[in-house]
Amino acid sequence: MEYDNGGAPAVYSSPECQQWVLSSTASLQNRSLQNCQFSILQGRREYQEDAIACNLYLKLLLPGKNGLEEDTVGIIAVFDGHGGQEASKMASHLLFDYFHVNVVFQSYKKMAQHRNALSSSSDYRSFQLAILKEALSKTISDIDLSFSQEAITNNFFSGSTAVVVLLFDGQILVANVGDSKALLLSDKISTQTDSGIGGDSTVHISATALTDDHHPVREDERARIEAAGGSVIMRGVPRVNGVLAMSRSIGDVYLKRYGVIPEPEFTGWRLLTANDIYLVVASDGIFESLTQQDIGDLIFECNSHLQGSQDSKLSHSCLSSTSIADCIVNTAYDKGSYDNLSAIVVPLRQIS
């Protein structure tokens, strides 16, 4: 009843649900980032407003042939705050706990609604994929609800983007709010022909965007903002009411009445292939000075260097970096990015 009335925040705050306790900061540190390659840099900003969370081996109970069975889900997230660090920090702290409770309750709901189908079907994956997507959607909504209540109480004006990627059963699901980004890096083979007689094959890494930025000039985003009584005003870049440079965010409570929403846009479940080698999730500061293909080229050069190539084009900052994530962040900074910089890099072949 508490869950139906108020989602994860109600469960964790109810005296009727004492078995559900939010993780401590120390517990969160033990559960997040320990098995993920990441880099985060304050850069040239006065404050650090980025926050990240990642666990590639989260153990969750999902419906199976014999009821709830333990499965492994990877979850990778970048939250890029603005107007303060409160929203991004709270989002990163609540993500795992809220996702956990939403998966549990969505699993029970799905089992109750489809008991006959579950008992007669050997294909549980479709149910599991639907549960994980619904749980992630509700998690982002619950985080926004919790932060908005805190913001009203404490007069916070901050907000945050959210890019959250799930990895499960060789597939990925991307939820996006705002203008941080997720990229899929894949091996590509091209052949150069000479006078139509054969040719040499070369391998490079191509980058595919998995997110579409929520800028207020996007036609559908502008329509929602204007329908709510807001306006899109150019102040350096297009901004909602001349203030916010994105049309979806967690928080920003003073702009919700003008059409700014926390609802994530999903890239549906995508089956990974043998050519897909890295997943990169990064804040938009990275892309102030690097294109998405620059990221692919950097990873290719890093791999060549690690394999002993003497023809490396890597900068000194990358050669001295301890990881590909460090290389991306340091290169973006060296090329002039003024924003906070965060990147999480997942080598897909190592976790498949």
Side-chain angles (χ1 to χ4, degrees):
M1 289 174 61
E2 292 288 357
Y3 180 79
D4 286 342
N5 289 331
V11 171
Y12 280 110
S13 63
S14 171
E16 303 297 326
C17 308
Q18 295 182 14
Q19 71 271 35
W20 291 95
V21 180
L22 288 171
S23 301
S24 66
T25 301
S27 176
L28 281 170
Q29 289 173 344
N30 289 334
R31 283 203 298 162
S32 64
L33 300 175
Q34 61 184 347
N35 49 31
C36 299
Q37 181 187 145
F38 69 95
S39 183
I40 186 165
L41 182 68
Q42 182 173 320
R44 296 176 173 88
R45 286 292 181 91
E46 188 174 355
Y47 305 103
Q48 174 58 272
E49 296 175 323
D50 283 2
I52 58 178
C54 180
N55 190 335
L56 300 180
Y57 304 103
L58 197 63
K59 301 299 182 182
L60 296 171
L61 294 175
L62 290 166
K65 185 175 182 179
N66 301 307
L68 291 178
E69 299 176 355
E70 188 175 79
D71 243 312
T72 301
V73 180
I75 184 166
I76 304 103
V78 167
F79 303 99
D80 183 353
H82 48 264
Q85 66 174 351
E86 297 91 358
S88 57
K89 186 175 181 180
M90 178 179 282
S92 67
H93 284 177
L94 294 177
L95 177 64
F96 294 128
D97 286 333
Y98 278 15
F99 185 62
H100 179 205
V101 76
N102 275 302
V103 168
V104 168
F105 281 96
Q106 289 303 311
S107 292
Y108 279 115
K109 285 176 175 290
K110 186 71 72 173
M111 290 171 68
Q113 293 167 1
H114 302 279
R115 189 177 305 276
N116 292 335
L118 280 165
S119 62
S120 62
S121 173
S122 60
D123 179 18
Y124 299 97
R125 287 308 192 200
S126 59
F127 288 100
Q128 294 171 336
L129 296 177
I131 287 167
L132 291 172
K133 180 178 179 181
E134 183 65 19
L136 180 54
S137 180
K138 288 185 175 296
T139 294
I140 293 172
S141 176
D142 287 345
I143 289 171
D144 177 73
L145 174 63
S146 289
F147 176 72
S148 296
Q149 292 170 342
E150 286 285 319
I152 292 169
T153 300
N154 296 290
N155 202 29
F156 293 150
F157 290 91
S158 58
S160 178
T161 72
V163 171
V164 187
V165 183
L166 300 183
L167 291 94
F168 178 68
D169 190 36
Q171 300 182 66
I172 58 173
L173 176 75
V174 183
N176 178 43
V177 179
D179 61 0
S180 294
K181 293 176 175 59
L183 304 178
L184 184 63
L185 287 303
S186 308
D187 277 337
K188 295 292 182 183
I189 300 175
S190 57
T191 303
Q192 296 179 341
T193 60
D194 184 12
S195 301
I197 305 174
D200 295 328
S201 294
T202 59
V203 178
H204 69 284
I205 294 177
S206 69
T208 301
L210 300 176
T211 51
D212 188 7
D213 291 348
H214 294 128
H215 290 155
V217 290
R218 216 178 83 174
E219 186 176 348
D220 55 339
E221 299 294 296
R222 179 193 284 270
R224 186 187 66 253
I225 291 162
E226 293 179 345
S231 58
V232 179
I233 300 171
M234 179 66 72
R235 288 191 178 170
V237 296
R239 300 176 184 272
V240 179
N241 289 4
V243 178
L244 185 64
M246 65 196 70
S247 49
R248 301 193 192 195
S249 69
I250 290 171
D252 292 306
V253 293
Y254 58 98
L255 287 172
K256 287 191 183 312
R257 70 182 71 179
Y258 299 111
V260 175
I261 60 174
E263 182 181 340
E265 190 170 27
F266 281 92
T267 301
W269 284 103
R270 175 180 182 143
L271 186 65
L272 296 170
T273 71
N275 289 332
D276 298 326
I277 54 174
Y278 286 98
L279 173 71
V280 175
V281 184
S283 59
D284 75 322
I286 297 293
F287 302 94
E288 279 189 4
S289 56
L290 298 176
T291 67
Q292 63 185 48
Q293 189 52 51
D294 287 338
I295 304 295
D297 295 341
L298 273 176
I299 290 178
F300 181 82
E301 292 296 334
C302 282
N303 284 340
S304 298
H305 174 69
L306 292 173
Q307 292 169 10
S309 172
Q310 301 301 311
D311 189 28
S312 175
K313 301 175 183 177
L314 288 175
S315 65
H316 175 72
S317 60
C318 267
L319 291 172
S320 60
S321 296
T322 58
S323 69
I324 293 175
D326 273 337
C327 176
I328 292 170
V329 164
N330 292 337
T331 300
Y333 179 81
D334 289 346
K335 287 184 175 292
S337 177
Y338 276 84
D339 206 349
N340 301 146
L341 300 160
S342 298
I344 302 173
V345 178
V346 179
L348 296 172
R349 288 173 180 168
Q350 292 182 19
I351 63 170
S352 59

